[in-house]
Amino acid sequence: MTSETTADTAADKATRPVAPRPTGVRATERALAPDLARGLMLLFIAMSNTAFHLWNSDYGPSGWQPVNGNWLDHTVQFAMIVGLDLRIYPLFAFLFGYGMMQLYLRQTASGTSERKAAALLRKRSLWMIVIGLTHAGLLMAGDIVGYYGLLSLALGWLFLRRGDRALKWWIWISLTVTVAAAAQPVVTAALQGELGSLGDAGADAGSEAYGAGEGSWLTAAGTRMTTAFFLVGMAAPLVLVTGGGFIFLLGFWAARRRILEEPGKHLKLLRVTAIVGIAVGWLGGLPAALAHVGALDVSPDAESDTGALMALRDVTGSAAGLGYVALVALFVHWWTRRRQQQRDKSTTVATAITAISAVGKRSLSCYLTHSLLFAPILAAWGLGLGEHLTSATMVLFALGVWLVTVAGAYALEIRGKRGPAETLLRRLMYGKWT
């Protein structure tokens, strides 16, 4: 080979286009609505999880909320059943699917092939399963990171690269299957005249699956891992089979239309979703809340985890979750326009919004921080404070924990730093060169 040929080859290599390396989301690419919704979602998750740490309380037939306490505690329990229980996890699922599709679209727009972008997200899902199971083993039985990691792995593989028409068809199919699966036992029992006996009030309270009342951390860890493997190995596949992934796929569909990035273009859809979704969700939880505080006389079986009232709460929960997302998007649209028109010069509100959005940007770190503050302080194997708290005081504790994460996230935001869990996940996904 002559020196001239070698020079030509080197020049060829220098001018040859290099395949772009996948990179993460940059700060300037982020939209306010998804981050603000995630930040608020973490407050709701912290509040919703409070009942499972009150390990010395007496629980009702559903095993979700305590039945003891004064009028203030019962007010909190009522509000939880109507507005939070089984309503926040659909919100999380929608935002998770939305963020996943956002990341995929950013990767392909920057020149990454569809195959490589999908592979990157599969890698992310696998690492989330690992992080979730580790989190459950150490601190929190009801971890949702591993659960949604498995759902995202399956649904991403099946639907991430499908066209809009196929995606819409599968959303409707999944929604139909979900409603049918929830309604079938209720309808069957009603036709047989046994609606009141549907369910099992004698089942173990759901709070026992968290192991918060165990005096030994090791024993509690065994309980937590059993619950975690059930969620990832059985509950998540069951959700896929019974069509429960439709809310996740709705996140895919909404992200393709940039509904949360550009709420001003979708105001009618957002208004209808907010009004109808929240109304359906709250009305669906109202009978169970009334029964819980003794204002509605139903059999204990009907209130149980497999009873008719729980089925009604479950099937209407997704509507409330979507309604909450839509409400946040409408607020962001109103707030953005107000700021642009300089009608509101309040720095306090702007700082609060920035701080809550900072939590949303670091949602994984803040979610894990909840457990770091909850478990050692509340569990019997730790300081045992959960023995002495009630529903009302527990909510105040959850609010305090969330505010700690808000302060920490805002401090990182000011310094332009990511959360530690996000930094780790990016390193695992993209490698050292990002």
Side-chain angles (χ1 to χ4, degrees):
M1 183 180 291
T2 65
S3 59
E4 187 176 335
T5 306
T6 305
D8 287 344
T9 305
D12 244 8
K13 288 181 178 178
T15 56
R16 190 180 302 158
V18 179
R21 289 172 169 174
T23 56
V25 181
R26 296 173 178 84
T28 54
E29 297 174 323
R30 303 195 70 104
L32 176 59
D35 287 332
L36 185 62
R38 290 187 190 99
L40 292 171
M41 173 197 70
L42 284 171
L43 170 61
F44 299 150
I45 285 179
M47 289 181 171
S48 185
N49 284 336
T50 56
F52 300 113
H53 296 282
L54 299 172
W55 49 271
N56 197 38
S57 296
D58 298 322
Y59 284 83
S62 73
W64 279 65
Q65 291 292 339
V67 293
N68 56 299
N70 56 29
W71 68 269
L72 185 58
D73 296 310
H74 294 318
T75 301
V76 169
Q77 294 156 12
F78 185 95
M80 289 275 202
I81 294 172
V82 171
L84 293 184
D85 291 349
L86 297 174
R87 276 108 184 90
I88 302 308
Y89 294 117
L91 166 60
F92 182 93
F94 176 86
L95 292 173
F96 196 99
Y98 196 100
M100 188 174 176
M101 180 57 76
Q102 274 186 312
L103 182 55
Y104 174 77
L105 294 175
R106 286 193 181 102
Q107 294 293 337
T108 54
S110 66
T112 305
S113 69
E114 291 185 355
R115 186 182 297 274
K116 283 186 178 180
L120 181 72
L121 287 168
R122 284 196 297 272
K123 185 177 180 181
R124 177 175 179 257
S125 297
L126 288 169
W127 277 116
M128 289 189 68
I129 295 173
V130 173
I131 292 172
L133 290 176
T134 303
H135 175 222
L138 294 174
L139 294 169
M140 175 67 169
D143 170 82
I144 55 175
V145 175
Y147 174 84
Y148 283 111
L150 183 64
L151 288 182
S152 65
L153 182 67
L155 295 174
W157 173 62
L158 290 171
F159 297 105
L160 200 61
R161 299 165 64 188
R162 285 186 177 270
D164 280 354
R165 185 177 180 183
L167 187 59
K168 284 189 285 188
W169 269 106
W170 278 106
I171 288 171
W172 282 110
I173 291 171
S174 298
L175 176 59
T176 302
V177 172
T178 299
V179 174
Q184 185 272 328
V186 178
V187 173
T188 302
L191 292 176
Q192 294 173 349
E194 301 175 353
L195 184 61
S197 62
L198 180 68
D200 181 11
D204 293 337
S207 58
E208 294 183 9
Y210 282 64
E214 298 286 354
S216 163
W217 178 88
L218 192 60
T219 304
T223 302
R224 289 195 300 267
M225 287 307 296
T226 301
T227 302
F229 280 118
F230 171 79
L231 287 174
V232 175
M234 295 184 65
L238 183 63
V239 164
L240 292 171
V241 171
T242 57
F246 80 92
I247 193 82
F248 204 102
L249 299 181
L250 268 175
F252 281 7
W253 176 84
R256 287 182 177 178
R257 281 150 186 79
R258 297 177 58 83
I259 288 177
L260 298 185
E261 288 98 329
E262 301 170 350
K265 297 180 179 180
H266 310 278
L267 291 178
K268 183 178 180 181
L269 173 64
L270 291 171
R271 286 169 182 150
V272 171
T273 303
I275 295 171
V276 175
I278 294 174
V280 169
W282 287 8
L283 288 173
L286 186 59
L290 291 171
H292 183 84
V293 298
L296 182 65
D297 186 19
V298 298
S299 71
D301 286 335
E303 290 186 72
S304 71
D305 204 32
T306 52
L309 296 187
M310 179 63 79
L312 181 61
R313 290 168 65 189
D314 194 8
V315 79
T316 57
S318 296
L322 290 174
Y324 294 157
V325 175
L327 191 61
V328 172
L330 289 170
F331 170 79
V332 167
H333 172 69
W334 170 82
W335 171 255
T336 303
R337 289 188 62 190
R338 190 176 184 87
R339 295 289 287 177
Q340 288 173 346
Q341 296 169 2
Q342 296 183 341
R343 291 180 183 174
D344 190 346
K345 298 181 180 179
S346 170
T347 57
T348 303
V349 177
T351 301
I353 291 174
T354 301
I356 296 172
S357 301
V359 173
K361 293 178 183 179
R362 298 158 183 84
S363 55
L364 181 57
S365 294
C366 293
Y367 174 69
L368 297 177
T369 301
H370 288 178
S371 297
L372 285 172
L373 297 175
F374 267 101
I377 295 176
L378 300 174
W381 53 262
L383 297 179
L385 184 61
E387 179 182 10
H388 308 289
L389 295 178
T390 64
S391 295
T393 53
M394 189 66 197
V395 164
L396 292 176
F397 183 87
L399 177 61
V401 167
W402 180 75
L403 289 174
V404 169
T405 64
V406 170
Y410 185 62
L412 291 174
E413 181 75 10
I414 292 173
R415 292 165 176 78
K417 302 289 186 181
R418 296 187 178 92
E422 285 74 22
T423 301
L424 173 62
L425 187 57
R426 285 171 64 89
R427 176 64 61 88
L428 294 172
M429 286 174 61
Y430 301 113
K432 295 181 178 180
W433 39 259
T434 50

